[in-house]
Amino acid sequence: MLLSLVLLLALLLNAWVLLALWFHRPHRAQLRYVPIALWVLLWTTSVVCLWRGEYLAAAAWLAAGLTPVLLWWRGLLPTGQGDWADDVAYTTTGAVDGDTLSLQRVREFRWFSRTEYEQVWSSREYQLSSLQSVDMITSFWGLRPIAHVLVSFGFGDDRYLTFSVEIRRKRCEEFSVLGGFFKHFELNIVASEERDMVRVRTNCRDEDAYLYRTRISPEHGRELLLGYVEAANKLAVEPRFYHTLKANCTTIVYAFAKRTYPGLPLDYRLLLSGYLDEYVFARGGLQQGYSLAELRQRGCITERARAADDAADFSRRIREGVPGCNGTASPTI
């Protein structure tokens, strides 16, 4: 029984090390699989010794392989430097002067397809006292439990500023849920207009998007907005890794929101972001007088976004029929 338990732990350890080495394998073709091969050799030797009852030898071989791996892992730090994909090449940063929020590197890409686009990064100013609404947008691309979460701040006259916590991937690199556990991606925070941030998902990447008008008051909305800016400014000088569970598009926002609403509980739906609307609905954060099913049905903006395409009034058109967006919003909290 004890031997079986030790072998199970050894298998789990082996899986963790193999995945860590796989996601950080050397770029040079001659060395690409050398670390993995060395680990497999040492681990196999350790298991054989364990099976023979040579426990001291097994421990020695395992330590010989595991010690350098753990030292390497501990020293693996984010750099903030890399050949980044164009849409995450910069981190949006900002400064507040009185009532004025000045942002640098706001993304305003014009997307023609998933891979074709016109790059624009700009500086913008917003009056904090003009903030009127906070919307939550969830975008699905595959499994129902997983969604990307955007937060859009409305400043009147259909002017919206959308923040997204992104993986900072390199060129020709795709997102991997597993890779997010193994320091494979760095974290990035980008602000954009909805014709970029939302439209690229619905119109170019064929994702399904849902928009919800929250009951967050303008005062608390400003706190949430400045939380994004503070985190982005810090990230620009102190890079950190993205983590599938601990540092992603929902857990980062939860940390901001908890400052304003200290009683917010932890919940599995913060990890399974596809059900985040359930969590916010249960906490009274969405429009009242509707079931969650109604909010989802009326908040589905996919077809409206595709019909609006690159129209100047994109933000207004995707909100047609969304509860709370037509002057009948529930009281704020």
Side-chain angles (χ1 to χ4, degrees):
M1 185 66 170
L2 180 59
L3 179 59
S4 298
L5 179 59
V6 172
L7 283 173
L8 175 61
L9 292 175
L11 286 171
L12 293 175
L13 176 63
N14 181 52
W16 182 86
V17 173
L18 285 176
L19 286 169
L21 294 176
W22 173 262
F23 283 111
H24 294 278
R25 55 195 185 278
H27 295 294
R28 291 182 59 182
Q30 302 93 324
L31 301 176
R32 198 159 178 77
Y33 301 106
V34 170
I36 293 176
L38 288 174
W39 165 257
V40 170
L41 176 62
L42 292 168
W43 181 84
T44 302
T45 302
S46 177
V47 170
V48 169
C49 291
L50 181 64
W51 191 262
R52 291 176 177 175
E54 300 170 0
Y55 303 120
L56 187 59
W61 281 108
L62 185 60
L66 189 58
T67 300
V69 169
L70 293 178
L71 290 174
W72 159 76
W73 184 257
R74 184 177 177 82
L76 195 60
L77 302 174
T79 64
Q81 299 178 355
D83 184 20
W84 308 118
D86 291 330
D87 57 328
V88 289
Y90 300 106
T91 298
T92 301
T93 57
V96 177
D97 182 8
D99 187 48
T100 302
L101 171 64
S102 301
L103 295 177
Q104 294 76 46
R105 300 185 180 91
V106 176
R107 202 180 78 191
E108 297 180 41
F109 279 31
R110 186 180 180 191
W111 295 88
F112 306 109
S113 70
R114 184 186 293 262
T115 57
E116 298 176 318
Y117 44 82
E118 176 185 324
Q119 295 186 55
V120 179
W121 295 88
S122 67
S123 297
R124 288 192 173 190
E125 289 189 349
Y126 297 86
Q127 303 307 123
L128 293 173
S129 58
S130 298
L131 194 149
Q132 298 178 1
S133 62
V134 180
D135 295 332
M136 179 180 77
I137 303 171
T138 56
S139 186
F140 296 83
W141 67 91
L143 297 175
R144 177 64 179 83
I146 304 298
H148 186 71
V149 178
L150 311 171
V151 176
S152 197
F153 299 90
F155 289 87
D157 298 323
D158 293 321
R159 191 183 188 207
Y160 291 89
L161 174 70
T162 306
F163 271 87
S164 177
V165 177
E166 303 265 350
I167 62 164
R168 201 171 197 183
R169 70 192 189 286
K170 296 179 181 177
R171 293 186 191 277
C172 303
E173 191 173 51
E174 297 293 332
F175 174 68
S176 164
V177 173
L178 269 179
F181 286 99
F182 291 93
K183 299 184 180 181
H184 188 56
F185 304 108
E186 293 191 17
L187 194 68
N188 200 22
I189 296 178
V190 180
S192 172
E193 60 177 24
E194 291 178 338
R195 276 200 302 172
D196 172 348
M197 193 75 76
V198 176
R199 180 174 168 271
V200 67
R201 288 174 163 80
T202 55
N203 296 34
C204 299
R205 299 177 185 170
D206 294 323
E207 298 180 13
D208 286 319
Y210 296 79
L211 187 148
Y212 304 90
R213 174 60 51 89
T214 73
R215 295 178 59 214
I216 297 175
S217 68
E219 178 186 0
H220 290 161
R222 286 190 287 273
E223 293 178 11
L224 181 59
L225 171 58
L226 294 179
Y228 267 109
V229 175
E230 178 185 347
N233 287 345
K234 184 176 181 180
L235 194 61
V237 295
E238 298 179 16
R240 61 182 295 192
F241 284 116
Y242 173 92
H243 192 280
T244 301
L245 293 182
K246 297 187 295 184
N248 57 43
C249 62
T250 53
T251 56
I252 296 292
V253 178
Y254 171 76
F256 301 156
K258 197 166 176 60
R259 298 181 187 178
T260 302
Y261 305 102
L264 281 179
L266 282 171
D267 192 284
Y268 74 93
R269 289 166 292 193
L270 295 169
L271 304 179
L272 299 180
S273 50
Y275 302 119
L276 185 65
D277 56 353
E278 290 183 9
Y279 175 81
V280 180
F281 181 81
R283 309 314 304 174
L286 300 183
Q287 296 301 300
Q288 298 179 319
Y290 304 88
S291 68
L292 180 57
E294 289 176 304
L295 292 174
R296 282 177 177 166
Q297 188 270 324
R298 296 179 62 174
C300 183
I301 62 172
T302 308
E303 294 306 321
R304 292 196 290 271
R306 291 171 181 169
D309 198 29
D310 197 29
D313 61 346
F314 178 89
S315 293
R316 180 190 64 78
R317 291 174 63 175
I318 65 174
R319 284 174 171 77
E320 291 177 355
V322 176
C325 293
N326 302 312
T328 58
S330 301
T332 57
I333 55 176

